Every structure is written in C-alpha cells, then in structure tokens.
Amino acid sequence: MSDQTDRSDWATAAGYLGLLSVLIIPAPLAVAAGIAGLRDIRRARQRTGRSLGGRGRAVFGIAVGSIFTVVLAWGIVALALG
C-alpha cells in the first residue's frame, strides 16, 4: 500500500503488467497482481475504513492478462500437439 497516492501498489503493478501482456509472458503475472490488488484494496477498507484507489487498474490487469494467458496456453498446446 502506497502512503503517498492512496493507491494499491499491487493494482498499479497489475496495470503495467496488463500493458506488457501483449508480450505474452507477463500475462499470468498480470492476473496474479490484479487479484492481489483487489484483495489489498478490500483489506485496506476493512482494516482502516478508508478506500484505496486502483480498482480499475487491477481489473484491467486481470482482464487483459486473462486474454493473453489464454493465448499463451493455446500456443503451448499447439506446440505440444504440433
């Protein structure tokens, strides 16, 4: 949790990893960071009563990361069967 921006660091990481997901390899990391970001946001609200920002970045990381994780899995299966 970042004290200066009131935004989850995990959510920020998920957003950047989501952008890098077009390189295929960071895609599963974007999904994991997005889930961690949403958990971080929820826990901060329960713990302190105030809400952290970054939910959109976390969701973006999960969505884009999921798409390219499917592409990665498809490529691995195609190589294994080909």
Side-chain angles (χ1 to χ4, degrees), residues 13 30 36 46 49 53 59 62 64-65 74-75:
Q46 291 173 346
V59 171
I62 292 170
V64 176
W74 177 79

Side-chain angles (χ1 to χ4, degrees), residues 2-48:
S2 176
D3 294 330
Q4 294 176 346
T5 60
D6 288 338
R7 184 177 299 128
S8 169
D9 291 336
W10 281 110
T12 301
Y16 285 116
L17 286 168
L19 290 172
L20 293 174
S21 288
V22 298
L23 301 175
I24 305 298
I25 301 302
L29 298 174
V31 175
I35 292 169
L38 289 178
R39 283 184 174 176
D40 189 31
I41 291 167
R42 186 190 61 202
R43 286 182 182 156
R45 189 177 330 130
Q46 291 173 346
R47 216 176 24 240
T48 65

